[in-house]
Structures are given as C-alpha cells and as structure tokens.
Amino acid sequence: AALSAVLIADGDPGRNLVVVFSDGADTASFIAADRVIDTARRSRPLVYAVAARRDDAQFLRDVRTVTGGRLVELDEATDPG
C-alpha cells in the first residue's frame, strides 16, 4: 500500500503528501521494503506515518528518514482505543 501511495503521488506536480496508518504487521507485501524506500527516495513525497506498534515500525522509520516526513509511534499509554 505504501508503494501504491508513493507512485500515485508521483504523478502530480510539486511535492506530495502521503499519510500512512499501520498496525506495523506486514502480512501481504509482495514488493521488497528496499524497493519501496528507493521509490520514495526518487519520488520525493513527504511521508507522514502513524504506527500502532513500535516494535514493527522499522520500515516506516526508514521511509520517514528518506522523505523528511514524520512518524508517530503509538504505544499502550497513547493508544486512543
């Protein structure tokens, strides 16, 4: 889903914003994380992400780093549910 969002945003002029909400569990990816990160690096969207689980958020940390975006990592103390 992250790759799709980055590719869709790449078609618009200027720098685009991509917002990602994730539980952190990767259960259906068929594209390697490094390919998504390389695409984000080339496309230059600004990626903001919210991760519901800190322990599974490394991919989102990496995307945040290459795009200059932000990552909010929820834990039990900040979980709104």
Side-chain angles (χ1 to χ4, degrees), residues 15-78:
R15 192 159 188 209
N16 294 289
L17 175 65
V18 175
V19 181
V20 177
F21 294 91
S22 176
D23 64 0
D26 183 359
T27 59
S29 287
F30 57 91
I31 298 172
D34 59 337
R35 180 169 174 213
V36 176
I37 292 167
D38 287 342
T39 302
R41 185 179 288 118
R42 286 191 315 272
S43 301
R44 298 188 57 247
L46 187 58
V47 177
Y48 277 61
V50 178
R53 292 176 18 192
R54 289 176 178 259
D55 56 339
D56 290 330
Q58 187 59 50
F59 167 74
L60 295 175
R61 287 185 202 103
D62 294 343
V63 171
R64 170 209 53 200
T65 299
V66 301
T67 66
R70 294 201 53 191
L71 172 62
V72 175
E73 297 180 61
L74 301 179
D75 58 24
E76 290 181 22
T78 60

